[in-house]
Amino acid sequence: MNPQRFPFTRETSLFVLAYLYVPVVVLIAYSFNANRTATVWTHASLDWYGRILVNPSIQSAAWNSLVIAVSAATAATVLALLAALATRRAFLGCGASEAILNMPLILPEIAVAVATLLLFVSLGVKLGLGAMVAAHTAFCIPFAYLPIRARLDGISGTYEEAAHDLYANRFRTFRRVTMPLLWPGVMAGFTLAFVTSLDDFLTSFFLAGPGLTTLPVYIFSAIRAGITPEINAISAVMLVVSVLLVSLSFFLGRLRR
Amino acid sequence: MSAALRRFFLLSPALAVILFLIGVPLCLMAWVSLLDKGGTSGVDWSSAPSSANYVRLAWEEDFDGTMILNTSYLVIFLRSVSLAAVTTVLSLAFGLPVALWMASLSRTGRDIMLLLITIPFWTNLLVRNYAWLIILREDGWVSRFVNMISPWPVQLLYNDAAVAIGLTYSLLPFTILPLYTVFEKFDWRLLEAAHDLGATRKRALLRVVLPIATPGIVAGALLVFIPCLGAFVTPALLGGGKTLMLGNIIQMQFGASRNWPFGATLAVVLLAIMLVVMTAMALWRNRRTA
């Protein structure tokens, strides 16, 4: 059953794909440009990649980003996994709970970021890594929750019933039956939470405190100071890392049940 | 352990984290929006709550003490709302044909397109907007080309159009995906029926496809409009100092201006606009299904 094709839908789609991908390709191409002025193409080189590898402020920003993303994604995945197990069967207040879990997805990030800043300052919490990990954990929860929940919905209850009939207790059933089936969903959720945290700019920007940067915060201030080929190279690296991780998550989500 | 108790222990950690780190801060921010600025932290915590910050949004005190209209913030509100509206319309105009085309593809084709449309969403927003900065900047080849054929000098960056391009670029996937989910389930025989009954393509599009796509259009419009209102990165990079949006002035109050209560006021207004839009959409949807 082939839908009737409307004129120009194909052309528009190709245009949209170009619109989405040309800037990315241009950016990556320029990151290999040897010329200092970044707009004039001389010849291909890996110079800028070499430079960002030995730049100490980029190294420390990358390290901070990584520490925050690993901690926040781990915490968010554990919390989301527990919550997903709880909301598996509908109950009174299930809808409300899910609405709260998904709240970070709809709220404008800038409002949440400044509100969290106000909270930390009013409580006397020191800004920095700890504050950023806490805030990232909160907004990463729905990104981990949704894939885990989707995977859980696809697991038939009969496996657990069988385990139960064979005298496995609740914990054993979870460890030996539910968890192995759920694992790809958990990994997909972790990866999405990790990418979300790694790419976050606004929350980190407000909560970083003096002297601390993450990669996106570093990139933002570097752009403000002027376009350099180094920014192209870091940006290209960040793009490639995100794309690889998301493809991994997509693949994990499609693993056979 | 009863099922309810177990459920409570499983669910409460995640809910507690979100409520404490997102819910409580938003309430605190509403309170701070009523206070005065001051102190080293930017807020005078002991000041008496007043609506002074909200009055400041539209009025200012003249030298002789009378209140006069101050349109500088209103202009920024208006610009934010109109840029969000333009972006929403553009995203729908591009999203609708793409979603239609995707639904007409084979299973593999759909999956590939789905992946291609989703990937940009997961890449860094800052980096994607920076890419446009490279493309549109003054000494770039696009700018040179445009200036070569244009009879007057054209500045591509740092204006409303550049911000609209960047916002549409950032948020376009959000209209394509909900529209696609509608068209994916669409029974295309309805179109054949319309055709058999003598409807032209245009008529079939207006009378069959669009009404069915309405839930997807509404969902997509919300998903684009709301993030646009709170946009910070795109106007900061592509808009320069002249094209400020709500997000930029919120950041300025928490940064250089150091007037946190007024920044909180602006953020509360942002949330209020968002709430109004979402409530209107929900009411409209209820009336439609009722």
Side-chain angles (χ1 to χ4, degrees):
Chain A
M1 191 169 54
N2 200 21
Q4 181 181 355
R5 295 201 179 183
F6 287 96
F8 303 120
T9 56
R10 201 170 74 103
E11 288 75 4
T12 315
S13 301
L14 295 179
F15 173 77
V16 163
L17 282 182
Y19 180 46
L20 289 178
Y21 283 92
V22 166
V24 174
V25 173
V26 168
L27 177 68
I28 292 177
Y30 270 122
S31 73
F32 292 108
N33 184 7
N35 197 299
R36 172 85 232 173
T37 55
T39 28
V40 187
W41 182 272
T42 40
H43 61 94
S45 106
L46 287 170
D47 265 14
W48 306 112
Y49 287 92
R51 289 204 192 189
I52 60 171
L53 280 179
V54 295
N55 183 331
S57 34
I58 294 175
Q59 279 171 358
S60 80
W63 177 247
N64 290 335
S65 282
L66 208 63
V67 169
I68 295 168
V70 169
S71 327
T74 309
T77 310
V78 172
L79 293 171
L81 172 64
L82 298 180
L85 291 170
T87 51
R88 194 172 178 189
R89 271 171 278 278
F91 59 94
L92 188 71
C94 185
S97 306
E98 289 206 302
I100 294 175
L101 289 173
N102 290 328
M103 208 162 70
L105 292 179
I106 44 161
L107 289 169
E109 195 189 348
I110 187 148
V112 176
V114 297
T116 316
L117 172 68
L118 283 171
L119 177 81
F120 286 159
V121 168
S122 70
L123 293 179
V125 175
K126 210 169 144 279
L127 296 180
L129 272 186
M132 284 195 273
V133 170
H136 279 220
T137 304
F139 72 70
C140 283
I141 287 175
F143 290 96
Y145 174 77
L146 292 173
I148 296 178
R149 194 47 224 284
R151 181 83 190 181
L152 204 53
D153 279 344
I155 297 176
S156 151
T158 48
Y159 297 111
E160 278 135 326
E161 278 164 32
H164 195 66
D165 290 345
L166 293 166
Y167 299 103
N169 61 25
R170 204 179 280 283
F171 179 69
R172 206 175 160 82
T173 308
F174 175 72
R175 203 167 62 90
R176 303 297 292 272
V177 179
T178 318
M179 209 44 204
L181 287 168
L182 197 54
W183 197 240
V186 174
M187 286 314 290
F190 175 84
T191 318
L192 290 189
F194 182 84
V195 173
T196 309
S197 166
L198 196 69
D199 282 342
D200 175 76
F201 163 69
L202 269 181
T203 304
S204 306
F205 182 59
F206 283 106
L207 299 180
L212 202 85
T213 47
T214 63
L215 268 186
V217 175
Y218 177 87
I219 294 176
F220 184 76
S221 30
I223 296 173
R224 277 299 174 88
I227 300 171
T228 61
E230 280 104 335
I231 307 176
N232 298 352
I234 323 170
S235 303
V237 171
M238 292 212 63
L239 275 179
V240 171
V241 168
S242 308
V243 170
L244 286 180
L245 286 174
V246 172
S247 313
L248 175 74
S249 162
F250 191 79
F251 170 75
L252 283 169
R254 306 208 131 214
L255 276 187
R256 279 169 57 96
R257 304 197 192 279
Chain B
M1 210 178 352
S2 79
L5 198 63
R6 200 174 55 243
R7 191 186 297 134
F8 174 79
F9 281 121
L10 287 174
L11 197 51
S12 48
L15 292 184
V17 166
I18 291 184
L19 287 178
F20 181 70
L21 287 169
I22 293 176
V24 173
L26 291 179
C27 298
L28 179 73
M29 187 170 75
W31 170 249
V32 168
S33 75
L34 303 172
L35 300 179
D36 286 341
K37 68 170 170 173
T40 43
S41 66
V43 184
D44 180 3
W45 294 99
S46 57
S47 57
S50 77
S51 59
N53 287 321
Y54 289 91
V55 174
R56 241 192 100 187
L57 291 172
W59 290 277
E60 62 184 349
E61 208 168 319
D62 204 0
F63 299 113
D64 59 355
T66 51
M67 300 304 263
I68 53 166
L69 198 68
N70 171 7
T71 51
S72 51
Y73 295 110
L74 295 177
V75 167
I76 294 173
F77 278 109
L78 204 64
R79 179 184 296 126
S80 300
V81 172
S82 21
L83 271 172
V86 168
T87 306
T88 308
V89 171
L90 281 176
S91 304
L92 286 173
F94 285 123
L96 203 68
V98 175
L100 265 177
W101 186 67
M102 276 170 75
S104 78
L105 295 176
S106 68
R107 171 106 217 138
T108 338
R110 289 175 180 201
D111 281 355
I112 293 173
M113 274 300 284
L114 216 49
L115 193 63
L116 285 176
I117 299 294
T118 346
I119 282 177
F121 164 70
W122 291 108
T123 57
N124 193 307
L125 182 73
L126 190 64
V127 167
R128 278 185 289 148
N129 281 286
Y130 171 65
W132 277 101
L133 192 64
I134 292 186
I135 291 176
L136 296 179
R137 67 184 165 157
E138 225 169 314
D139 50 353
W141 50 267
V142 178
S143 181
R144 282 198 209 142
F145 176 74
V146 169
N147 278 300
M148 211 163 67
I149 54 173
S150 156
W152 55 83
V154 181
Q155 161 85 289
L156 297 176
L157 264 181
Y158 311 129
N159 53 37
D160 286 337
V163 177
I165 290 178
L167 285 174
T168 311
Y169 178 68
S170 312
L171 297 164
L172 184 56
F174 287 114
T175 53
I176 299 178
L177 297 175
L179 282 170
Y180 169 72
T181 44
V182 170
F183 290 137
E184 196 194 13
K185 287 177 291 194
F186 181 54
D187 186 351
W188 296 96
R189 285 174 303 181
L190 286 174
L191 271 186
E192 283 164 34
H195 189 69
D196 291 345
L197 293 167
T200 58
R201 269 188 182 172
K202 192 177 151 211
R203 202 175 161 81
L205 186 69
L206 288 178
R207 301 297 294 272
V208 179
V209 177
L210 278 185
I212 287 168
T214 311
I217 293 178
V218 173
L222 267 184
L223 288 173
V224 172
F225 190 82
I226 289 172
C228 264
L229 273 184
F232 169 75
V233 169
T234 309
L237 291 189
L238 305 176
K242 285 173 288 175
T243 314
L244 290 176
M245 286 177 72
L246 202 42
N248 306 97
I249 51 170
I250 293 176
Q251 189 270 328
M252 281 163 71
Q253 300 305 321
F254 279 87
S257 306
R258 219 161 174 75
N259 188 345
W260 289 19
F262 190 56
T265 306
L266 293 166
V268 169
V269 172
L270 167 65
L271 289 173
I273 300 177
M274 185 195 106
L275 216 63
V276 168
V277 173
M278 285 181 66
T279 315
M281 291 290 190
L283 285 177
W284 175 84
R285 197 177 303 171
N286 280 350
R287 213 186 59 190
R288 233 173 76 94
T289 48

